[in-house]
Amino acid sequence: MNAVDDKTVVREYFNATGFDRWRRIYGTEEVNKVQLDIRKGHQQTVDRVLAWLQADGNLQGLSICDAGCGVGSLSIPLGQAGAMVYGSDISEKMVAEAYQRAKALFGPSNTISFAAQDLESLSGRYHTVICLDVLIHYPQDKAGEMIGHLCSLAQDRVILSFAPKTVALSALKKVGELFPGPSKTTRAYQHREADIIAILAKNGFAIARQEMTSTRFYYSRLLEAIRR
């Protein structure tokens, strides 16, 4: 499977069976133990990002691109905090769900806008660009291009999370087993932290804060990089 095929599979997956599965995981309804574990892990990553941004004390009016926003798990609380948020996702269904969730909280007028598009077609300039749990869909040879593009959109900061590639985690499970349920229709790529840091440095960014979230079925390395 080449990179273009990967993207097509991801789009189709999250517009079909994947949408229902991940909508439940990122929601509040009852799920199985594996999905609940992933929900908790993902929420820990979201909470850490929010804590970082709130600690800076300048969220009100801050322009933020939430690249790969899913159902709005991060976009919505950022909007609640007063940030000007642009959320995008490759899945039309995910974006529609995010819009409905935001509308239920804010009404038709709010500080969040959503669009269905892939990361490569994102444009504009934002103070902060955030991309959580999306690199898992990009092989290493395409990850550099994608991160470079996100860096070009960021005036000051990029925040990324990714599944770390370590000897221990590689031995623990096959990459595809990061996805819950019997139907694993997308590939899941792990990345070496040193490679991600090198890509950020090449694009003029230096690491400011970092965090690791690890549950039984969710592993995510979180990096905040500031433009030098």
Side-chain angles (χ1 to χ4, degrees):
M1 182 183 295
N2 59 36
V4 174
D5 289 334
D6 276 340
K7 187 162 67 174
T8 300
V9 168
V10 169
R11 179 185 291 109
E12 292 177 350
Y13 172 73
F14 283 105
N15 277 323
T17 58
F19 167 71
D20 291 327
R21 177 175 294 118
W22 289 94
R23 177 186 58 80
R24 291 195 303 272
I25 290 174
Y26 295 150
T28 58
E29 59 191 274
E30 186 175 350
V31 292
N32 64 44
K33 291 181 179 180
V34 174
Q35 293 170 334
L36 180 60
D37 181 87
I38 293 172
R39 174 190 291 173
K40 291 178 178 178
H42 176 75
Q43 189 59 50
Q44 287 178 34
T45 296
V46 169
D47 290 344
R48 175 56 59 184
V49 172
L50 290 171
W52 284 352
L53 300 185
Q54 289 166 345
D56 293 340
N58 63 344
L59 255 181
Q60 186 73 33
L62 200 71
S63 62
I64 298 177
C65 177
D66 184 9
C69 66
V71 298
S73 301
L74 178 63
S75 291
I76 291 173
L78 286 174
Q80 288 176 309
M84 304 295 294
V85 184
Y86 178 78
S88 72
D89 198 274
I90 196 172
S91 165
E92 293 88 352
K93 281 194 172 183
M94 286 287 192
V95 167
E97 176 72 14
Y99 173 78
Q100 290 302 324
R101 292 187 182 191
K103 184 178 179 181
L105 286 173
F106 303 108
S109 177
N110 61 74
T111 61
I112 312 174
S113 59
F114 292 105
Q117 59 185 138
D118 58 44
L119 299 187
E120 290 83 356
S121 62
L122 283 173
S123 61
R125 292 284 285 174
Y126 308 89
H127 177 277
T128 297
V129 175
I130 303 173
C131 187
L132 301 184
D133 296 349
V134 175
L135 276 170
I136 199 169
H137 302 300
Y138 282 79
Q140 186 61 39
D141 62 333
K142 291 296 180 181
E145 297 176 16
M146 188 272 280
I147 294 172
H149 179 59
L150 294 180
C151 288
S152 74
L153 308 177
Q155 295 173 343
D156 187 72
R157 173 172 53 197
V158 174
I159 298 176
L160 302 172
S161 74
F162 57 95
K165 186 177 181 62
T166 66
V167 173
L169 289 181
S170 297
L172 179 63
K173 59 178 69 179
K174 295 179 182 178
V175 173
E177 291 174 353
L178 290 173
F179 284 89
S183 177
K184 300 177 177 66
T185 57
T186 64
R187 290 187 178 184
Y189 297 96
Q190 294 170 302
H191 298 279
R192 293 182 177 86
E193 182 173 351
D195 294 337
I196 301 300
I197 292 175
I199 294 169
L200 289 167
K202 181 180 178 180
N203 286 278
F205 286 79
I207 302 302
R209 288 180 283 204
Q210 52 191 302
E211 188 75 25
M212 179 69 194
T213 300
S214 178
T215 66
R216 288 189 65 191
F217 300 100
Y218 178 92
Y219 302 91
S220 183
R221 187 66 168 164
L222 183 66
L223 301 177
E224 177 195 49
I226 303 298
R227 187 175 290 280
R228 294 180 295 196

